[in-house]
């Protein structure tokens, strides 16, 4: 077997998993021969990014014990020189399902969106203890008491500033005056900080053939309004009516203006894609911004 990376070796040994009992299945995947349990491993030099991923997985796991929705974190290590880090987690063997997992996924996500009984790392505010990354974009997770302030300034406003496009900035100035207060100032029930996946597009969900469960992975987590996690689900598709029905059976739609607020939550991901890739994502961002500004203007009539 190819030699195991020293940091990954340390994680396995710390958790009493003998290296002699491991077999390499494919790049980064190891099988524990006696139990046949499979592990996913990864190393990288971007320590803050992996730290955010690991802390997000741990936080999501605290509200989903026994569900199998998110990969269990086995361990995380950083080398002494702070040049490299490594992680070991449960491995999901993704495959197609012979049954509809959408309802299970909706139920699982809704249960994840709860205040943890284990308050480790939970401040009761909007934000997160470390930066997390949505794609390559580092998110400002500074804890904030107000959801309206957090989402306005640390999500949408931060991206608008980074993009630096005059047309987008002008639409944003209009949004701050009317759209943001209409959609975020008074929400019923009021938002409470719950752990979010943060990047729940169709490529970050699946079906684990090992456990037979719906799963999610590759988070960009923070504590936010639960419905913010649904925003990106509308962007690329892959989520059915069964998913939303199951989700809202546990968390009924917040009022008023649920549909418009979903557009606002989706906007973050269009802006982030504009920042990362430019091109047609700018037009998509502007279309949502103008639509919401027109809607808010009509509300004044």
């Amino acid at each position: 077997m190819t030699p195991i990376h020293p940091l990954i070796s340390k994680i396995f040994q710390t958790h009493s998993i003998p290296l002699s009992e491991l077999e390499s299945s494919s790049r980064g995947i190891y099988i524990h021969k006696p139990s046949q349990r499979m592990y996913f491993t990864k190393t990288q030099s971007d320590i803050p990014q992996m730290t955010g991923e690991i802390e997000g997985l741990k936080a999501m796991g605290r509200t989903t014990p026994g569900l199998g929705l998110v990969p269990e974190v086995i361990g995380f290590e950083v080398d002494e020189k702070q040049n490299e880090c490594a992680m070991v987690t449960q491995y999901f063997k993704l495959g197609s399902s012979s049954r509809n997992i959408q309802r299970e996924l909706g139920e699982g996500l809704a249960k994840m969106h709860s205040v943890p009984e284990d308050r480790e790392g939970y401040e009761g505010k909007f934000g997160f203890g470390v930066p997390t990354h949505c794609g390559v974009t580092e998110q400002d997770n500074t804890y904030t008491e107000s959801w309206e302030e957090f989402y306005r300034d640390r999500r949408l406003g931060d991206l608008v500033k980074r993009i630096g496009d005059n047309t987008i900035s002008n639409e944003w100035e209009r949004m701050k005056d009317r759209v943001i207060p209409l959609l975020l100032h008074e929400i019923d029930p009021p938002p409470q900080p719950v752990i979010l996946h943060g990047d729940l597009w169709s490529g970050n969900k699946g079906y684990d053939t090992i456990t037979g469960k719906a799963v999610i992975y590759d988070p960009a987590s923070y504590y936010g309004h639960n419905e913010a996690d649904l925003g990106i689900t509308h962007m690329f598709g892959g989520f059915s009516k069964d998913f939303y029905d199951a989700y809202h059976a546990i968390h009924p739609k917040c009022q008023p203006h649920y549909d418009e607020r979903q557009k606002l939550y989706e906007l973050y991901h269009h802006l982030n894609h504009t920042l990362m890739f430019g091109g047609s994502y700018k037009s998509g961002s502007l279309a949502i911004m103008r639509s919401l500004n027109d809607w808010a203007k009509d509300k004044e009539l």
Side-chain angles (χ1 to χ4, degrees):
M1 183 174 72
T2 303
I4 302 177
H5 189 284
L7 289 175
I8 294 173
S9 296
K10 184 177 180 180
I11 294 171
F12 280 126
Q13 292 170 332
T14 299
H15 289 79
S16 301
I17 301 171
L19 302 185
S20 61
E21 294 181 355
L22 294 172
E23 179 178 86
S24 177
S25 171
S26 58
R27 186 176 181 182
I29 311 301
Y30 292 92
I31 301 173
H32 180 234
K33 290 180 284 187
S35 67
Q36 289 299 294
R37 187 173 186 191
M38 301 181 74
Y39 298 98
F40 171 77
T41 70
K42 182 169 70 173
T43 60
Q44 66 182 48
S45 59
D46 191 334
I47 296 172
Q49 184 177 42
M50 186 178 282
T51 300
E53 180 179 358
I54 288 294
E55 292 304 314
L57 289 174
K58 288 179 179 178
M60 292 194 297
R62 290 188 191 106
T63 58
T64 56
L67 286 184
L69 181 68
V70 299
E72 176 190 356
V73 175
I74 309 304
F76 171 65
E77 288 286 343
V78 180
D79 72 2
E80 293 181 357
K81 295 182 179 180
Q82 299 287 305
N83 290 329
E84 193 175 25
C85 57
M87 61 186 280
V88 177
T89 69
Q90 174 187 3
Y91 174 65
F92 288 156
K93 188 175 183 180
L94 301 176
S96 59
S97 172
S98 59
R99 59 191 180 86
N100 190 334
I101 64 167
Q102 293 279 339
R103 180 167 296 279
E104 181 184 318
L105 185 64
E107 290 175 353
L109 184 68
K111 291 175 181 176
M112 189 187 87
H113 289 160
S114 59
V115 175
E117 293 183 9
D118 175 1
R119 296 302 180 95
E120 180 184 350
Y122 183 73
E123 300 287 336
K125 300 176 182 179
F126 301 101
F128 204 56
V130 297
T132 52
H133 290 70
C134 192
V136 297
T137 303
E138 182 175 298
Q139 301 183 123
D140 179 0
N141 289 333
T142 304
Y143 281 118
T144 308
E145 294 279 357
S146 161
W147 172 244
E148 179 179 357
E149 179 184 342
F150 180 86
Y151 197 72
R152 180 193 65 212
D153 298 340
R154 305 195 186 284
R155 286 297 178 265
L156 297 180
D158 183 52
L159 285 183
V160 169
K161 186 185 301 182
R162 291 199 221 183
I163 292 168
D165 178 88
N166 288 336
T167 309
I168 287 176
S169 296
N170 289 339
E171 291 295 333
W172 172 238
E173 290 303 314
R174 291 179 60 204
M175 288 183 68
K176 286 196 295 184
D177 291 339
R178 186 66 174 158
V179 173
I180 298 299
L182 272 172
L183 294 181
L184 299 183
H185 190 63
E186 293 185 5
I187 303 174
D188 183 25
Q192 60 178 344
V194 296
I195 192 64
L196 306 184
H197 178 283
D199 192 17
L200 193 60
W201 70 292
S202 57
N204 285 340
K205 69 170 177 65
Y207 170 75
D208 180 21
T209 60
I210 298 173
T211 62
K213 294 180 179 293
V215 293
I216 57 177
Y217 40 88
D218 290 346
S221 294
Y222 62 97
Y223 291 101
H225 181 208
N226 64 292
E227 289 180 356
D229 242 357
L230 303 181
I232 196 172
T233 65
H234 305 289
M235 188 171 175
F236 297 114
F239 296 83
S240 73
K241 183 176 182 296
D242 284 341
F243 165 81
Y244 297 107
D245 287 349
Y247 181 87
H248 289 302
I250 296 174
H251 292 297
K253 295 178 180 179
C254 290
Q255 301 299 329
H257 315 313
Y258 170 85
D259 291 334
E260 288 75 21
R261 194 160 39 250
Q262 280 295 291
K263 291 180 182 178
L264 188 71
Y265 292 155
E266 182 182 348
L267 174 61
Y268 174 74
H269 298 282
H270 284 266
L271 289 171
N272 189 39
H273 278 68
T274 301
L275 178 64
M276 292 190 295
F277 307 117
S280 63
Y281 289 110
K282 174 183 173 180
S283 61
S285 298
L286 285 170
I288 294 176
M289 298 175 88
R290 287 166 176 159
S291 172
L292 288 173
N293 277 326
D294 289 345
W295 168 81
K297 185 176 181 180
D298 288 342
K299 296 295 289 183
E300 297 174 356
L301 300 178

